[in-house]
Amino acid sequence: MSQQKRVSKGTIKTAKRLLRYVTSTYKVQFIAVLFCILISSIASISVSLSLRFLLDDFIIPLIGQQNPNFGELYMALTVLGTIFLCGVLATFIYSRLMVTIGQGVLKRIRDEMFEHMQTLPIRYFDQNTNGSIMSLYTNDTDTLRQMINQSIPQVLMSFLTIVVTFIAMLVLSPVLTILAVLMIGVMFFISSKVTGNSGRYFIRQQFDLANMTGFVEERMNGQRVVKVFNHEKISEEEFDKLNEQLFESASKAHTFASIMGPIVGNLGNTLFVLTAVLGGFLSVAGIGNITLGVMASYLQFTKSFTQPFLQVAQQFNSIIMALAGAERIFGLLDEKPETDEGYVTLVNVKKDAQGNITECSERTGLWAWKHPHQADGTVTYTELKGDVRFYDMSFGYTPDHMVLHDLTLYAKPGQKLAFVGSTGAGKTTITNLINRFYDVADGKIRYDDININKIKKADLRRSLGIVLQDTHLFTGTIMENIRYGKLDATDEEVYKAAKLAQADGFIRMLPKGYDTHLTGDGEELSQGQRQLLAIARAAIADPPVLILDEATSSIDTRTESIVQKGMDNLMRGRTVFVIAHRLSTIRNSDAIMVLDHGRIIERGTHDELLKLKGTYYQLYTGKLELS
């Protein structure tokens, strides 16, 4: 199948799917729009058809009369004016309805996009730039707005006008209609060739626009890095390359789309001239009963017949751009959501005097895994302790490139495990597997002796606290950002978490304290302060398992010594996985794993590893540097 045919087939499929959105969301309103468009179309045709009756039945008979009676003519003009007024009113009504329909459909699409985006796996966001995704919500939805508000009613109006006009032309003169049909065939043939090329380039234009948007967004976020390394010129050259690609695709798309109007317009004028010549010849020859009124009406109909094609051609830009945008939007909506076959859930429980666990609805601070057994229908409860174990676990982001190989390790409740190794050794990958951002390729991970694949992802992640190297703060107050770890937390719990993370001091020094409003990912604060807020956010969640991925890397040495006490308080009684470049922060770990190319090459306590005088010893003494 040729590329043009594939584009055409995909475009038609996208158009049908988009039309279903319109008809299913506002079915009654859309029917009303169709009815009003039909009235408007009939009213428009009635004006052209009235020329025959006005000339043949009213005006010509009055010519030469000494005392002409204009009463019937006035009555006919009154009826014609009423029909025309109904057409204007119908046009106003369907235009207003399409605004409501258009905005409503866009709201539904944006809601579905964002809702579906929350279900997508982390892999999708790793493979697509933020700017490209943002382009779906801005550029692509804006093209849909223009199409729904303007192009759809125009196309429907044109289609109904063509049908009604063709019927009227056929009634007036079947002979002349044959000429019109032949000319329309030529229009369709030429239009199909032009639209195929235009559609292909419009689709490419939307993708090029998304790529450029993603590049600009990326460079804006990394502007400091660009300036530090004097990469302004290189960034400009890379942007020019993307912009040139957009220029080429947009130029070709609009070139093909722009020639549609002149082609259709000139063919329409040709049809008008040929109809006048043929009609005059047939009238003089007395063939087809063509009168002056018939000729006047029919010539007007040729304009009415070709005008819809011209109007569709003028809307073609908006239609193809919208369909290209819709194709990208539906691409997001068709992305497979993150699968979750887990059935073990996390519930609040309480213990009686004998230590028996009972599920309860109120928050008790005690949690357990609710494990329904499908074999016999029984339900067991396992207290949440934070026992995490890896068994012969292997993983790769792609099947042909494994990152981790046959890892076996365990972290008992309350233990602190540290991972050390060069960049790319697989440290962060391990933590991504614990919270099931990715699933293991081979082996298994057990959490409190339950395979994590059996645990619902939302419940699994609720039991984990994560502090990443790259913090992210949302637009809102400091209190709201800390409370993000526990949405129903009281103000006192927020204060307690901030004190635990050693963040309370600098917060209270701010002019508005905890009510300080943050924007732009907390750009008002230093990197260390943002990191402290991230630690406080994890503290308020009070999880039994804590993952610290370079959590103190952005804190200076002086601040590190202050926050270390808070970190120790936060880690006390929890199972902790620590990834750190600063080996001084992991000296008190219960076990240290040294990774190299996805394998554990050394393990033991700080003192044990120093005695081995292996890789860890070289790292600690500075003889070998982490890269």
Side-chain angles (χ1 to χ4, degrees):
M1 184 182 293
S2 67
Q3 183 178 7
Q4 182 171 332
K5 289 183 178 179
R6 288 196 299 270
V7 171
S8 177
K9 186 176 180 180
T11 301
I12 293 174
K13 183 179 178 181
T14 301
K16 289 181 178 179
R17 184 172 177 181
L18 181 60
L19 188 59
R20 283 197 297 270
Y21 263 89
V22 176
T23 54
S24 62
T25 308
Y26 292 94
K27 185 176 182 180
V28 176
Q29 291 90 331
F30 192 69
I31 292 175
V33 167
L34 292 177
F35 181 71
C36 289
I37 289 177
L38 180 61
I39 293 176
S40 179
S41 179
I42 293 175
S44 177
I45 299 303
S46 299
V47 175
S48 299
L49 191 61
S50 65
L51 290 176
R52 175 193 171 184
F53 299 103
L54 289 175
L55 287 172
D56 292 344
D57 298 339
F58 298 100
I59 296 177
I60 294 178
L62 291 175
I63 297 176
Q65 293 185 15
Q66 294 183 351
N67 297 307
N69 182 6
F70 293 100
E72 292 183 356
L73 177 60
Y74 293 152
M75 181 62 68
L77 291 174
T78 302
V79 173
L80 182 61
T82 303
I83 295 174
F84 183 76
L85 182 62
C86 290
V88 172
L89 184 61
T91 302
F92 174 77
I93 292 174
Y94 83 68
S95 298
R96 294 286 296 177
L97 286 175
M98 284 308 300
V99 172
T100 302
I101 292 174
Q103 294 301 325
V105 170
L106 291 184
K107 178 182 180 301
R108 175 186 169 186
I109 289 177
R110 285 193 296 264
D111 286 343
E112 290 187 8
M113 285 170 58
F114 194 81
E115 181 181 349
H116 185 69
M117 193 174 68
Q118 307 308 305
T119 68
L120 297 180
I122 291 296
R123 187 186 303 273
Y124 175 82
F125 301 97
D126 290 342
Q127 296 174 348
N128 295 272
T129 64
N130 294 341
S132 177
I133 297 174
M134 281 300 302
S135 184
L136 295 173
Y137 289 90
T138 54
N139 298 324
D140 294 324
T141 54
D142 189 61
T143 60
L144 289 186
R145 177 189 59 79
Q146 296 181 28
M147 177 182 174
I148 295 174
N149 288 354
Q150 302 174 15
S151 302
I152 288 182
Q154 187 66 67
V155 170
L156 292 174
M157 180 71 176
S158 299
F159 175 76
L160 292 176
T161 300
I162 291 172
V163 172
V164 175
T165 303
F166 181 77
I167 294 173
M169 292 172 69
L170 198 60
V171 171
L172 279 176
S173 176
V175 178
L176 293 177
T177 304
I178 296 175
L179 177 61
V181 170
L182 293 175
M183 188 59 70
I184 295 304
V186 175
M187 287 185 183
F188 271 119
F189 176 77
I190 296 176
S191 298
S192 63
K193 295 297 183 181
V194 175
T195 55
N197 291 318
S198 181
R200 181 171 69 254
Y201 286 116
F202 267 116
I203 292 174
R204 186 184 300 177
Q205 172 192 300
Q206 289 303 106
F207 282 95
D208 289 341
L209 181 60
N211 290 336
M212 191 183 73
T213 303
F215 180 85
V216 172
E217 189 269 345
E218 185 180 68
R219 287 304 182 274
M220 288 178 63
N221 290 339
Q223 194 58 231
R224 289 182 175 84
V225 178
V226 171
K227 290 187 178 298
V228 165
F229 291 98
N230 298 314
H231 273 220
E232 293 91 343
K233 188 65 177 178
I234 296 176
S235 294
E236 183 180 342
E237 292 174 354
E238 292 175 345
F239 176 81
D240 287 343
K241 184 178 179 180
L242 293 174
N243 200 22
E244 180 67 23
Q245 292 176 353
L246 177 60
F247 167 76
E248 291 181 1
S249 59
S251 296
K252 292 179 180 179
H254 286 274
T255 297
F256 282 109
S258 297
I259 64 176
M260 278 291 296
I263 290 176
V264 173
N266 288 320
L267 289 175
N269 293 332
T270 303
L271 176 61
F272 184 88
V273 173
L274 293 176
T275 301
V277 173
L278 181 60
F281 173 78
L282 295 176
S283 178
V284 172
I287 301 174
N289 193 27
I290 299 177
T291 65
L292 180 61
V294 170
M295 276 300 300
S297 292
Y298 202 92
L299 288 174
Q300 186 63 34
F301 277 135
T302 60
K303 287 292 186 181
S304 300
F305 196 46
T306 56
Q307 188 68 24
F309 291 96
L310 181 60
Q311 291 171 343
V312 171
Q314 292 172 342
Q315 294 292 331
F316 188 73
N317 287 12
S318 298
I319 293 173
I320 295 300
M321 286 178 62
L323 293 179
E327 188 171 335
R328 281 174 33 81
I329 289 173
F330 292 145
L332 169 64
L333 294 176
D334 291 339
E335 283 287 337
K336 292 183 179 180
E338 186 176 24
T339 58
D340 188 3
E341 299 175 355
Y343 51 87
V344 178
T345 56
L346 191 63
V347 296
N348 288 288
V349 294
K350 56 186 177 181
K351 284 184 178 180
D352 58 17
Q354 288 74 36
N356 298 316
I357 296 177
T358 305
E359 183 179 352
C360 59
S361 57
E362 67 273 10
R363 182 185 288 270
T364 61
L366 188 64
W367 300 86
W369 300 110
K370 182 179 180 180
H371 191 169
H373 299 275
Q374 299 175 352
D376 53 10
T378 60
V379 177
T380 59
Y381 293 90
T382 303
E383 185 177 353
L384 174 60
K385 295 181 179 179
D387 187 294
V388 182
R389 298 173 184 261
F390 290 67
Y391 296 93
D392 301 320
M393 193 269 295
S394 299
F395 173 79
Y397 291 100
T398 58
D400 57 342
H401 180 65
M402 301 303 290
V403 178
L404 300 175
H405 307 272
D406 302 320
L407 287 188
T408 297
L409 58 91
Y410 63 87
K412 295 180 180 179
Q415 281 192 330
K416 178 182 177 181
L417 265 67
F419 297 102
V420 177
S422 60
T423 300
K427 307 183 297 297
T428 300
T429 300
I430 292 176
T431 60
N432 284 337
L433 295 175
I434 296 175
N435 53 43
R436 288 193 68 191
F437 284 161
Y438 295 89
D439 287 324
V440 298
D442 192 20
K444 63 180 64 175
I445 303 174
R446 301 187 72 85
Y447 191 159
D448 289 332
D449 205 30
I450 302 172
N451 191 324
I452 64 171
N453 290 334
K454 297 180 180 179
I455 303 175
K456 281 188 173 295
K457 290 184 178 180
D459 294 87
L460 172 67
R461 293 165 185 169
R462 188 161 42 144
S463 70
L464 302 172
I466 303 178
V467 181
L468 302 174
Q469 177 181 3
D470 298 323
T471 62
H472 182 78
L473 300 177
F474 298 95
T475 298
T477 64
I478 288 179
M479 180 167 287
E480 290 171 342
N481 271 277
I482 296 177
R483 190 176 276 134
Y484 199 83
K486 181 183 176 184
L487 296 179
D488 59 349
T490 63
D491 291 353
E492 290 302 321
E493 289 177 313
V494 172
Y495 301 148
K496 182 179 178 181
K499 291 177 181 177
L500 188 67
Q502 302 294 303
D504 180 73
F506 88 82
I507 294 175
R508 294 190 181 277
M509 292 177 64
L510 297 173
K512 294 185 179 180
Y514 284 85
D515 293 325
T516 300
H517 193 78
L518 303 180
T519 58
D521 209 8
E523 60 183 10
E524 304 92 336
L525 306 177
S526 69
Q527 183 63 36
Q529 290 171 333
R530 293 200 293 268
Q531 198 76 5
L532 292 176
L533 292 183
I535 295 171
R537 186 164 57 193
I540 201 170
D542 195 24
V545 177
L546 192 63
I547 299 173
L548 305 176
D549 189 350
E550 302 285 358
T552 60
S553 63
S554 300
I555 301 175
D556 58 76
T557 306
R558 180 177 179 277
T559 306
E560 181 182 354
S561 63
I562 298 174
V563 78
Q564 193 60 52
K565 180 180 179 181
M567 292 289 293
D568 291 340
N569 292 334
L570 180 62
M571 291 185 289
R572 186 173 295 119
R574 293 182 171 86
T575 306
V576 182
F577 294 91
V578 181
I579 298 173
H581 274 92
R582 294 181 183 176
L583 302 186
S584 59
T585 63
I586 60 173
R587 292 184 56 178
N588 61 345
S589 298
D590 296 291
I592 299 173
M593 310 289 175
V594 182
L595 295 171
D596 182 45
H597 294 90
R599 301 181 187 276
I600 299 176
I601 58 174
E602 294 179 6
R603 70 177 79 199
T605 63
H606 173 75
D607 294 333
E608 291 171 347
L609 292 178
L610 288 181
K611 291 179 181 179
L612 288 176
K613 293 192 175 182
T615 301
Y616 183 81
Y617 173 81
Q618 294 179 351
L619 292 171
Y620 189 77
T621 57
K623 296 181 179 180
L624 182 66
E625 293 184 359
L626 287 173
S627 59

